[in-house]
Every structure is written in C-alpha cells, then in structure tokens.
C-alpha cells in the first residue's frame, strides 16, 4: 500500500462484497461525541431503545439528527442537535457505572444503559384482538448509517402479500444522502413484510395506521410498532441450528439421534 494512501477499499468487485473507505489513519476524523457516551442507549426501566450517538449523527425520537455542538461542564454534557426542521438540546449525565442519565432538560432525565437488559421489559397485558380488515397506511421509515456515495444504490423495496388478489405488491422507496428513508405502505391487515435495502434483506411487522422507525445497522426499532418488532427480533435468537456442527458428525448419527439434534 502506498504510504500516502489515506483510505482503501477491500473485497471483490464481481462478487459484489467489499468494504469501502477503510481509514488507515485514526486522526482523519474526530467526532465531537466522547467515546463514553457513543453507541446505542436503552431505557433502564423498560429496555426501550431511545437514543443512538454515532460519529457524525444521532438517532432520537424516530429521527436522524446532525450534531451542532457538545460541551461538558461539571460532569454534565449538553448536546445540540439539528435535523433541518427543528432543533433540541439533550442533557447527558454520565455515571461511574457506565450508564447515563439523558433527557431534554435537567429536570427530566431518564437512566439509560448501553447493554440491553431484557429482564426489565414489562409484560404486555393487552389481550389479543382480531385484526380488522381495512384499507389503511403504515409508515415505515428508518436509517442506514455509513452509506458511501459511490455505492450508487439509493433505493429499497418493501414486499407484502395482497390477500384480495393472492399476489405480492412491491413498494419502492428512496434513501437520501444521509441514509434516511420514509415510505407509506398501503396495508389491509397486520402482516410480516420483506424489506430489501443496500445492506441486505430484513423481515419486519407492519400494522395499519401505525408507524415504525428501523435503525437497520443494529436492527433496532422505535415508534408504535417497536415493541412487537423487538419481540420478534429477540425470538429469532432462539433458533440456533449449527450446520457446521452437524456436518462434522453426520456420518456417525442415527436417524433418531439426528432428529433429537434438530429438536434440541
């Protein structure tokens, strides 16, 4: 590598996988956000994802914000944010145990953890109700952090089932230069839908009349549909079939042993 090179790309071109703009020098970009408060933050009382502080942008209240400044005095930080249509200031008070108190004013602070504690998720006591079949709209918006302009791909699509026609509908959406997107999805009932984006494919749950914000990099959700999507995402972790482990001993397994392995 040329000693004067500041960034490199690595990977395959025809195979399409590659890592772009790898910085070779750590001093090329310095965020105004201290390392101790960067990352994803979850409410300590209910494990709800509430805030993400990245190198150059923040995700908060289902929106993407740019940093306007950060200053810290007597252990309390003030983070100024701007999203083009509004401004706000977050008060951030780091604690010795790695947690933070965060809020929009010093009088309204909530404790947040960096590690998601599923044990504090409150039980949903709402009883199941039959979904009403009606023509409505679901709002699906979100953010992809770190999209490189030279990737070229600035679109995504949502694929959903149409019960009336027995076919699938595809709704396309555009992703702006910051990585933010927002699309209205015509739906008639709650359902799982497939989402294709520059980072891959996702499966999410949409409901008529409800909104959902999706931070695709970390597969985190905000908005009215956040609870059910987070629950479904965590349930997926229960699936732990290990093909490599099976492959190593498949020749020595009886059919009964193989069945037991799959059941476990």
């Amino acid at each position: 590598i040329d000693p004067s090179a500041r960034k490199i790309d690595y990977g395959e071109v025809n195979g399409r996988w590659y890592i772009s703009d790898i910085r070779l020098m750590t001093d090329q970009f310095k965020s105004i956000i201290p390392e101790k408060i960067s990352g994803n933050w979850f409410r300590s009382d209910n494990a709800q994802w509430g805030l993400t502080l990245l190198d150059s942008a923040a995700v908060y209240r289902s929106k993407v914000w740019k940093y306007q400044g950060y200053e810290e005095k007597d252990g309390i930080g003030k983070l100024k944010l701007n999203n083009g249509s509004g401004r706000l200031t977050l008060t951030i008070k780091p604690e010795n145990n790695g947690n933070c108190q965060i809020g929009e004013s010093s009088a309204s602070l909530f404790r947040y953890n960096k590690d998601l504690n599923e044990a504090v998720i409150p039980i949903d006591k709402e009883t199941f109700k039959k979904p009403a079949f009606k023509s409505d709209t679901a709002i699906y918006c979100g953010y992809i952090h770190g999209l490189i302009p030279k990737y070229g791909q600035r679109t995504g699509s949502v694929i959903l089932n149409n019960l009336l026609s027995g076919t699938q509908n595809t709704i396309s959406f555009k992703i702006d230069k910051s990585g933010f997107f927002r699309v209205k999805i015509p739906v008639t009932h709650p359902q799982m839908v497939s989402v294709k984006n520059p980072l891959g494919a996702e499966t999410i749950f949409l409901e008529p009349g409800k909104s959902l914000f999706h931070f695709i990099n970390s597969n985190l959700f905000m908005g009215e549909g956040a609870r059910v999507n987070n629950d479904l995402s965590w349930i997926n972790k229960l699936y732990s079939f290990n093909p490599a482990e099976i492959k190593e001993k498949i020749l020595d397994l009886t059919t009964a042993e193989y069945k037991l392995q799959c059941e476990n």
Side-chain angles (χ1 to χ4, degrees):
I1 300 175
D2 190 317
S4 65
R6 302 180 66 82
K7 294 180 181 180
I8 62 172
D9 298 338
Y10 173 77
E12 298 180 3
V13 176
N14 295 331
R16 296 199 64 182
W17 75 268
Y18 52 91
I19 305 172
S20 185
D21 286 354
I22 302 173
R23 294 197 298 265
L24 301 180
M25 304 179 188
T26 56
D27 61 347
Q28 287 179 336
F29 177 83
K30 184 174 178 62
S31 174
I32 69 170
I33 300 298
E35 182 66 27
K36 63 183 178 181
I37 65 171
S38 65
N40 301 320
W41 291 96
F42 305 88
R43 283 277 295 267
S44 299
D45 56 347
N46 58 17
Q48 176 182 332
W49 171 49
L51 173 69
T52 290
L53 298 177
L54 302 163
D55 50 6
S56 58
V59 180
Y60 179 66
R61 293 200 317 198
S62 298
K63 296 178 181 179
V64 181
W65 305 77
K66 292 183 178 180
Y67 299 137
Q68 296 296 298
Y70 177 79
E71 57 183 21
E72 190 171 313
K73 184 178 180 181
D74 297 330
I76 299 178
K78 296 288 185 179
L79 177 61
K80 296 180 180 180
L81 303 175
N82 187 330
N83 70 351
S85 59
R87 299 180 181 182
L88 62 83
T89 298
L90 289 180
T91 298
I92 302 177
K93 185 178 180 181
E95 299 179 340
N96 294 331
N97 57 5
N99 298 336
C100 269
Q101 295 183 47
I102 304 172
E104 295 184 25
S105 71
S106 300
S108 179
L109 296 176
F110 298 92
R111 182 167 280 105
Y112 285 81
N113 302 338
K114 269 194 175 181
D115 297 322
L116 189 152
N117 182 8
E118 297 181 19
V120 301
I121 299 174
I123 297 174
D124 188 351
K125 297 182 180 180
E126 183 178 355
T127 57
F128 177 77
K129 298 177 182 178
K130 291 184 178 180
F133 189 85
K134 61 179 181 179
S135 180
D136 208 332
T137 298
I139 303 297
Y140 176 55
C141 56
Y143 179 54
I144 303 175
H145 178 61
L147 282 185
I148 306 299
K150 61 185 174 186
Y151 280 175
Q153 184 176 352
R154 289 289 178 184
T155 60
S157 61
V158 178
I159 304 171
L160 65 157
N161 295 321
N162 187 321
L163 291 182
L164 295 178
S165 63
T167 59
Q168 288 188 325
N169 295 340
T170 300
I171 310 297
S172 299
F173 59 87
K174 293 182 178 180
I175 305 168
D176 68 21
K177 293 181 179 180
S178 72
F180 177 79
F181 62 88
R182 186 179 188 274
V183 59
K184 295 181 179 181
I185 309 295
V187 290
T188 54
H189 63 286
Q191 63 171 290
M192 303 293 290
V193 304
S194 297
V195 178
K196 294 183 179 180
N197 59 69
L199 297 189
E202 313 283 343
T203 300
I204 61 171
F205 187 76
L206 295 180
E207 299 179 72
K210 292 187 178 182
S211 62
L212 179 70
F213 181 94
H214 188 186
F215 180 30
I216 290 181
N217 301 71
S218 299
N219 200 33
L220 296 172
F221 301 94
M222 285 183 184
E224 298 167 291
R227 171 65 189 260
V228 65
N229 276 278
N230 283 325
D231 286 352
L232 290 171
S233 178
W234 293 327
I235 287 174
N236 285 336
K237 299 175 185 177
L238 298 177
Y239 179 78
S240 58
F241 189 82
N242 189 336
E245 180 184 0
I246 292 292
K247 184 178 179 180
E248 291 180 356
K249 53 187 178 183
I250 188 70
L251 297 179
D252 300 320
L253 291 178
T254 65
T255 53
E257 290 171 334
Y258 177 75
K259 178 181 179 182
L260 179 62
Q261 189 83 24
C262 293
E263 290 176 344
N264 288 337

